Amino acid sequence: MMFRQGSRLLAGSVRLSRRPFSTATEVPAATTTNADSGFIESWKKVIPNIDPPKTPSHFMNPRPATPSSIPSKITVNFVLPYASELSTKEVDMVIIPATTGQMGVLPGHVPTIAELKPGILSVHEGNDVTKYFLSSGFAFIHANSVADVIAVEAVPVDHIDPSLVQKGLTDFTQKLSSATTELDKAEAQIGVDIHSALNAALSG
């Protein structure tokens, strides 16, 4: 419920032109040895007349190889349900709004899965910094210095209308104080959290 409610509220506080969806380019998988080779050899020794069953790894692409040295850039894929904002974009750093706090991701970052909270995604490329406000989602940091950021809703910070944010914050604060049911309180609290994060993004 929080993801759906947060996305709806964010959409009401921004002016956003949506682009057609295009998927991010996949990173080629490195060639690896078959992890099931030991199982297959054992199977053939015991039941030589029957082909061994296919295991789940048979249907999966090999994991991308970890580079022997840390690259100078981190590759970012930033995807929404309706659009691909960044596809294999090489940048210096990204800062993501994880539920555990702001997390800076540089080349060579340890593999991580992070849940995202309403907040700012900053993409740093030289002296240029592009900021997006995210409602929620997940970030997957891979060992090969690739970061996949999947958000339910996002908008460039400069597309946010400050007057709509202030109005929304006031309205949901009043709803929270007058809510009588747990559902009303939960929905109002989500509204307050989203608009407070939006307001902080504009202030920062």
Side-chain angles (χ1 to χ4, degrees), residues 135-193:
S135 64
S136 55
F138 289 89
F140 302 86
I141 316 302
H142 305 283
N144 59 343
S145 293
V146 174
D148 295 322
V149 180
I150 296 91
V152 176
E153 185 64 84
V155 62
V157 169
D158 56 7
H159 287 197
I160 299 173
D161 188 328
S163 62
L164 291 178
V165 172
Q166 292 296 334
K167 182 179 183 301
L169 182 57
T170 300
D171 291 345
F172 279 102
T173 300
Q174 293 174 350
K175 288 181 180 179
L176 182 60
S177 62
S178 61
T180 56
T181 67
E182 292 300 318
L183 178 60
D184 290 342
K185 290 179 182 178
E187 290 182 345
Q189 185 63 60
I190 292 171
V192 170
D193 292 345

Side-chain angles (χ1 to χ4, degrees), residues 73-148:
K73 302 284 186 178
I74 183 167
T75 302
V76 178
N77 300 308
F78 177 28
V79 183
L80 307 176
Y82 52 84
S84 176
E85 292 290 334
L86 300 174
S87 177
T88 62
K89 179 74 171 179
E90 292 189 345
V91 301
D92 297 313
M93 178 178 67
V94 290
I95 301 177
I96 64 174
T99 54
T100 54
Q102 292 294 104
M103 184 170 75
V105 181
L106 294 165
H109 196 284
V110 296
T112 305
I113 297 176
E115 183 180 358
L116 306 181
K117 66 179 180 180
I120 296 295
L121 168 72
S122 300
V123 182
H124 297 252
E125 187 177 8
N127 294 326
D128 297 329
V129 180
T130 305
K131 294 183 178 182
Y132 300 85
F133 184 87
L134 311 185
S135 64
S136 55
F138 289 89
F140 302 86
I141 316 302
H142 305 283
N144 59 343
S145 293
V146 174
D148 295 322

